[in-house]
Amino acid sequence: MTDFHEGEHKGLRFSAANVELRRTVEEKSGPDNDNWMTRTETLFRGIVVRCKDICDPTLDIALNDMFQERKKDDITDPAAFRKHFAAHTADGREADDQVTPQLRGLGQKLEASSGSAKLCGLILRDGDLTLALNTRYVFAGVPEELDLRDIDGIRKWFTASLTGMGNLLDLITESPALTGGTE
């Protein structure tokens, strides 16, 4: 985890971090499967955002990506959504009946918010929202390849990343999925 930040946007308390989750696997290799090879693969690269006191405190639902290729599936469609996400409560009960059209719409908007973003997890519990987006977007950071002597370039990238987070938080706070309202 890098670049962990806490802040407030239009009265909304939030925290965000750039996260990379990797796993290392040992597997047999070679022509006779008699050698061992270690490889590391990236499972998640993106941002994790948590917003305090943003939704109805009675909401208790977690959406987890089932890692099916989305292609052009419209996740606002209930059947497509169930194909791609598992919904459950804190105690592990299935919660497909709690997935409203507004919640599916929020998922669609989150994925559209950052071009190639993919919603990996969304938890609404105890008034808080926790979101994991697999994306190339980096919050409050600058690309490694940027020349650190280019102060204007650094300022531009950093400001753009803050604007991006503001837009994401606006999208979340404007969602009727968090209050039980309708679009």
Side-chain angles (χ1 to χ4, degrees):
M1 176 172 62
T2 61
D3 300 324
F4 173 79
H5 300 277
E6 293 179 303
E8 189 171 311
H9 175 74
K10 297 181 181 176
L12 172 66
R13 295 180 343 198
F14 75 96
S15 60
N18 301 308
V19 177
E20 188 168 332
L21 177 62
R22 297 182 208 152
R23 76 174 180 171
T24 302
V25 180
E26 285 192 25
E27 55 190 23
K28 290 187 176 192
S29 66
D32 298 322
N33 269 346
D34 55 352
N35 294 323
W36 285 93
M37 177 179 93
T38 302
R39 67 180 168 85
T40 302
E41 57 186 19
T42 300
L43 302 173
F44 175 85
R45 180 181 291 139
I47 58 169
V48 174
V49 179
R50 184 160 188 220
C51 301
K52 298 288 292 171
D53 304 320
I54 189 171
C55 63
D56 182 336
T58 62
L59 286 173
D60 175 16
I61 188 167
L63 305 175
N64 295 313
D65 185 7
M66 301 204 355
F67 298 100
Q68 302 293 319
E69 190 171 333
R70 295 238 214 301
K71 295 184 183 174
K72 295 186 188 263
D73 288 350
D74 178 5
I75 60 172
T76 61
D77 174 61
F81 191 88
R82 283 191 301 276
K83 175 180 165 188
H84 295 290
F85 294 96
H88 59 276
T89 61
D91 61 6
R93 290 179 288 126
E94 186 179 289
D96 285 339
D97 60 330
Q98 293 184 44
V99 179
T100 63
Q102 294 79 22
L103 192 53
R104 290 189 301 271
L106 175 60
Q108 183 85 10
K109 287 177 183 174
L110 288 168
E111 290 196 343
S113 70
S114 181
S116 62
K118 183 177 181 188
L119 178 61
C120 290
L122 176 66
I123 301 171
L124 303 173
R125 189 168 292 135
D126 299 326
D128 298 342
L129 173 145
T130 304
L131 165 70
L133 268 182
N134 196 342
T135 180
R136 292 189 328 235
Y137 165 78
V138 176
F139 175 59
V142 295
E144 291 178 13
E145 59 273 5
L146 190 65
D147 182 351
L148 295 181
R149 295 172 293 185
D150 181 3
I151 300 301
D152 288 336
I154 291 170
R155 184 178 300 117
K156 178 181 167 184
W157 276 100
F158 188 79
T159 302
S161 78
L162 297 179
T163 300
M165 180 58 70
N167 293 340
L168 178 67
L169 294 171
D170 288 343
L171 185 149
I172 292 168
T173 56
E174 293 166 4
S175 174
L178 306 180
T179 60
T182 57
E183 291 187 85

